[in-house]
Amino acid sequence: MDSIAAFSSTPSISLTSTSSFFNHSFSKTQPWVTFFVGVKPRLEAMRATENTKACLADFSPTKSKEAKLWGGRFEESVTDAVERFTESISYDKVLYKHDIMGSRAHASMLAEQGLISISEGDSIFQGLDEIERRIENGDFIWRTDREDVHMNIEAALTDMIGEPAKKLHTARSRNDQVLTDFRLWCRDAIDMLIKHIKHLQVSLVTLALRNEGVIVPGYTHLQRAQPVLLQHHLLAYVEQLERDAGRLLDCRARLNFCPLGACALAGTGLPIDRFMTSNALGFTAPLRNRMLICVRFMFIDAVSDRDFVLEFLSANSIIGIHLSRLGEEWVLWASEEFGFITPSDSVSTGSSIMPQKKNPDPMELVRGKSARVIGDLVTLLTLCKGLPHAYNRDLQEDKEPVFDSVKTISGMLEVSAEFALNITFNQRRIEKALPAGHLDATTLADYLVKKGIPFRTSHDIVGRSVALCVSKDCQLQDLSLDELRSISTVFDKDVYEFLGAENAIKKFCSYGSTGSACVASEVHYWVSKLEIN
C-alpha cells in the first residue's frame, strides 16, 4: 500500500504588512537581503493593482487540460487549485485491482444483457488486462487531471481501445463504482487482518507452551491480587484477539453486499442483471430493499452507506486498544522495577546518550499507534454525522483514514507477534517476587468457607491474619498455627496446604480458572484450534 502523503501548510504574509516588514534595518552582510529587496517592489505592485488575479497569473501558468469525462455541459476547465484539492488519485490508486475486477464483472454483464456486443466486451477485457499489467509493472502513468483511480483507468482504456471503452460506464455511476471497489478492498483487508490476528495468537500460545508451570502475580488496580499461571495470563490476550477476529468476520458478512447497479442514487432504466455482477464479485447478494418499499430509498442508502466502514474502523480500534494493553504490560514487565521479561536485542533499541539502556520500543509504539487508529475512527464518525442522503463529495474523505487504520493495525499485530517470540521470562526474578503481597489470602478465605465459616466472616478473619503478617513483616505461611488460632480457632494444621503461591494454584478448580488442570485444558484447546504443531 502506498504511504499516504501528509498535508503541509505554509504561513502566508499579509500584503498590507509588508512595508513595516521591509522598514527594518538589515545588515548588508546577510546574504538573503538581496532576495527580499527584489521581492519588495513586486509585492507593492501587486498590492497596488486592482485585479490581483491578473497580477498572479504568471505564478500559476495555465496549461492545457484534458477534457473531463463528465465535462460535456461545462465551458471552462477547473482551476489548478481546485484540481489539486479535489483529486484523490494520490491515495485511491491502491484500489486499482478492485476497480478492474468490478469493471470486468460489469462488462460481462453488459455483454450478457445485450447492452454491448461480445466483441466490445472482449476489447474491454483485453484493455483492462493490459492496464493491470502496466500498473503492476510500474509502467502506468497516473494523472491528477483524471482525478481518481476510476477515471484514470477508464480514460486510459479509452485511449487504448477507443469507442468500446466509452460503453463500459453504461448503467454505472462513480457513486456505485467506488462503493463496490471500496467494499471489495475492505473485504480483502479484513481477510488479511484476520490472518495477522491468528499469527499473533499462535505466537502467544507458543510463548505459553514455553513457560508451562510458571506462576506470576495477578494484579487488580495494579496491586497484587492472586497468583496465576503465566499460561492463563497469556491466554487472556488470545481470548481478546478471538473476539477481535469475530468482530471483523461479522463486519465482513455485513459489508459483503454489492452496490453495483445502484448508479448515482436511483438505479437505472436499462435491463441490467445485478445478481450476475454480485455473484461474479463474490458478494452474498446485491444490496436490496428487504422490506419491499420503494426501491429508490434502497439505492439512496447503497451509495451513501458508510456503516460498514464505521464498523470496520470500530473493530480496528478495539484491536488497537487490546494491543495497547498488551504493550503497556510488557513495557512495565521489562522495566527494572518488575524485571519479569527480557526482550532480545532483535526487538529492542538503545539510547543515543545512555549506553546502558535497552528499550522495548516496539511495544511502546504499539501503545502509541493505538491512538492513531482511534483517531481514524473519530475522523470517519465526524465525517458522516452531518451528511444528508445520498452521495456527497465529503465521502471522498473516507478512504485515507481506512487505509491508514488497516496499515497501522497490520503493523501493530505483526510487531506484537515478533515481540512475543523474542522475549524471555525471568523465572528466578518472578519467583523472588511471588511471596510479596499475600497472594494466597483469598485461598485462605476459601479454606475457612470449606470449614463452614460464612464468607464475610472468613474475609474478616483473613484480613486480621494479613494485618498480623504486616506487623511481623512475614507471609501468611510463616505464621505459626498458634498465631493463626489466636485469630480463629477454626484453623488447623491442614491450613498450610492452602498457603503459598504454589499451593494456592493447586486449589483453583472452577471452569476457566487458573488451576493447572483447567489451564492445561485451555492450552490444549488453543493448540488444536490454531493448528499449532
Side-chain angles (χ1 to χ4, degrees):
M1 184 186 298
D2 292 352
S3 59
I4 301 171
F7 286 102
S8 61
S9 58
T10 304
S12 57
I13 300 175
S14 170
L15 296 180
T16 59
S17 63
T18 52
S19 295
S20 59
F21 176 78
F22 284 109
N23 286 335
H24 288 288
S25 56
F26 297 115
S27 167
K28 292 184 179 180
T29 60
Q30 293 172 307
W32 41 267
V33 169
T34 303
F35 169 78
F36 279 114
V37 170
V39 169
K40 179 183 176 183
R42 181 65 172 272
L43 291 175
E44 290 175 342
M46 288 168 60
R47 185 171 64 251
T49 304
E50 291 182 4
N51 190 345
T52 305
K53 182 177 180 180
C55 217
L56 290 170
D58 60 333
F59 286 91
S60 302
T62 303
K63 62 180 180 179
S64 59
K65 294 187 177 69
E66 180 181 74
K68 303 291 186 185
L69 296 180
W70 44 259
R73 60 95 68 210
F74 291 84
E75 296 180 1
E76 297 180 48
S77 299
V78 297
T79 67
D80 290 339
V82 169
E83 192 118 84
R84 288 192 300 271
F85 188 72
T86 58
E87 68 83 20
S88 59
I89 189 60
S90 57
Y91 54 86
D92 69 12
K93 60 187 176 184
V94 301
L95 298 173
Y96 79 88
K97 263 189 180 303
H98 305 92
D99 193 71
I100 291 172
M101 188 189 310
S103 291
R104 286 188 182 121
H106 189 66
S108 295
M109 183 274 296
L110 293 176
E112 182 71 21
Q113 295 300 105
L115 294 169
I116 62 174
S117 69
I118 299 298
S119 62
E120 288 171 330
D122 289 341
S123 294
I124 290 170
F125 263 83
Q126 291 169 10
L128 290 173
D129 289 345
E130 175 62 16
I131 288 171
E132 185 173 29
R133 185 193 67 78
R134 291 184 184 179
I135 292 172
E136 292 181 348
N137 288 343
D139 299 329
F140 188 84
I141 298 174
W142 298 103
R143 293 176 50 165
T144 56
D145 61 334
R146 289 176 175 174
E147 300 181 31
D148 58 28
V149 61
H150 324 291
M151 301 296 264
N152 263 266
I153 290 174
E154 185 178 338
L157 185 65
T158 303
D159 293 343
M160 189 178 298
I161 67 172
E163 287 299 310
K166 296 180 180 180
K167 296 187 177 182
L168 178 58
H169 211 54
T170 302
R172 184 175 73 172
S173 164
R174 270 197 294 179
N175 293 357
D176 61 334
Q177 184 181 1
V178 66
L179 257 294
T180 302
D181 296 356
F182 203 19
R183 284 173 182 263
L184 289 170
W185 188 92
C186 288
R187 190 176 70 185
D188 287 350
I190 287 173
D191 292 342
M192 179 266 294
L193 289 179
I194 288 174
K195 289 180 181 177
H196 278 303
I197 287 174
K198 181 176 179 180
H199 179 52
L200 177 53
Q201 287 178 304
V202 169
S203 299
L204 290 168
V205 174
T206 301
L207 186 60
L209 289 169
R210 293 176 183 171
N211 291 277
E212 183 178 1
V214 176
I215 302 172
V216 296
Y219 294 84
T220 63
H221 307 277
L222 207 56
Q223 305 295 316
R224 290 177 173 236
Q226 292 178 278
V228 297
L229 287 172
L230 176 57
Q231 290 182 325
H232 188 226
H233 187 89
L234 293 172
L235 291 182
Y237 286 107
V238 177
E239 292 282 354
Q240 285 184 335
L241 291 165
E242 187 69 8
R243 293 196 298 274
D244 292 332
R247 271 183 287 271
L248 288 175
L249 287 171
D250 289 346
C251 176
R252 189 190 193 282
R254 270 185 287 277
L255 73 78
N256 199 39
F257 289 85
C258 186
L260 198 57
C263 299
L265 81 164
T268 178
L270 297 172
I272 62 173
D273 185 347
R274 296 188 62 228
F275 287 90
M276 180 179 174
T277 49
S278 174
N279 291 336
L281 294 170
F283 286 110
T284 304
L287 280 165
R288 65 186 180 93
N289 188 346
R290 297 178 182 275
M291 297 181 67
L292 302 179
I293 58 176
C294 177
V295 133
R296 180 175 299 173
F297 298 141
M298 178 277 292
F299 284 146
I300 289 173
D301 180 60
V303 297
S304 62
D305 168 44
R306 292 300 186 277
D307 290 357
F308 70 96
V309 179
L310 296 174
E311 185 176 2
F312 187 13
L313 295 197
S314 177
N316 279 358
S317 295
I318 297 173
I319 296 171
I321 289 169
H322 288 161
L323 296 179
S324 180
R325 294 180 69 181
L326 176 65
E328 167 71 2
E329 192 156 79
W330 282 355
V331 168
L332 285 174
W333 284 13
S335 68
E336 288 294 335
E337 285 69 22
F338 277 82
F340 288 179
I341 65 172
T342 300
S344 73
D345 291 353
S346 61
V347 292
S348 303
T349 63
S351 166
S352 63
I353 189 172
M354 295 169 284
Q356 84 281 10
K357 292 293 293 299
K358 183 176 179 180
N359 303 322
D361 274 13
M363 299 313 292
E364 292 179 50
L365 282 171
V366 164
R367 188 177 59 192
K369 286 180 182 291
S370 64
R372 180 171 178 161
V373 176
I374 295 167
D376 290 329
L377 170 61
V378 173
T379 297
L380 259 294
L381 288 168
T382 308
L383 174 69
C384 294
K385 75 173 183 64
L387 293 183
H389 283 315
Y391 180 79
N392 297 274
R393 190 63 181 270
D394 313 50
L395 292 172
Q396 177 176 300
E397 293 297 301
D398 61 355
K399 291 168 195 63
E400 286 182 287
V402 176
F403 295 159
D404 182 68
S405 176
V406 170
K407 180 181 177 181
T408 305
I409 282 291
S410 175
M412 291 167 67
L413 287 165
E414 184 179 18
V415 81
S416 295
E418 193 82 7
F419 200 85
L421 294 175
N422 286 278
I423 60 175
T424 302
F425 281 89
N426 304 320
Q427 293 190 35
R428 186 172 299 178
R429 177 73 175 266
I430 294 170
E431 288 170 2
K432 288 182 178 179
L434 274 177
H438 310 289
L439 300 178
D440 48 0
T442 306
T443 310
L444 183 58
D446 290 343
Y447 166 83
L448 293 170
V449 169
K450 290 180 178 180
K451 294 287 188 177
I453 306 298
F455 178 76
R456 285 301 173 198
T457 305
S458 300
H459 188 286
D460 179 70
I461 292 170
V462 175
R464 287 187 282 130
S465 301
V466 169
L468 178 59
C469 288
V470 171
S471 68
K472 293 174 60 67
D473 191 22
C474 69
Q475 302 301 311
L476 286 167
Q477 62 187 351
D478 298 327
L479 294 175
S480 68
L481 184 57
D482 288 341
E483 288 172 322
L484 288 169
R485 290 178 67 84
S486 69
I487 299 170
S488 173
T489 57
V490 176
F491 286 119
D492 206 343
K493 60 184 178 180
D494 60 345
V495 69
Y496 294 103
E497 297 173 12
F498 289 75
L499 297 179
E502 293 80 3
N503 285 333
I505 288 290
K506 294 175 185 177
K507 297 302 179 182
F508 285 99
C509 60
S510 62
Y511 177 77
S513 73
T514 197
S516 300
C518 297
V519 172
S521 176
E522 284 300 299
V523 170
H524 176 75
Y525 168 81
W526 285 109
V527 166
S528 176
K529 181 176 177 64
L530 298 172
E531 300 176 330
I532 299 173
N533 295 322

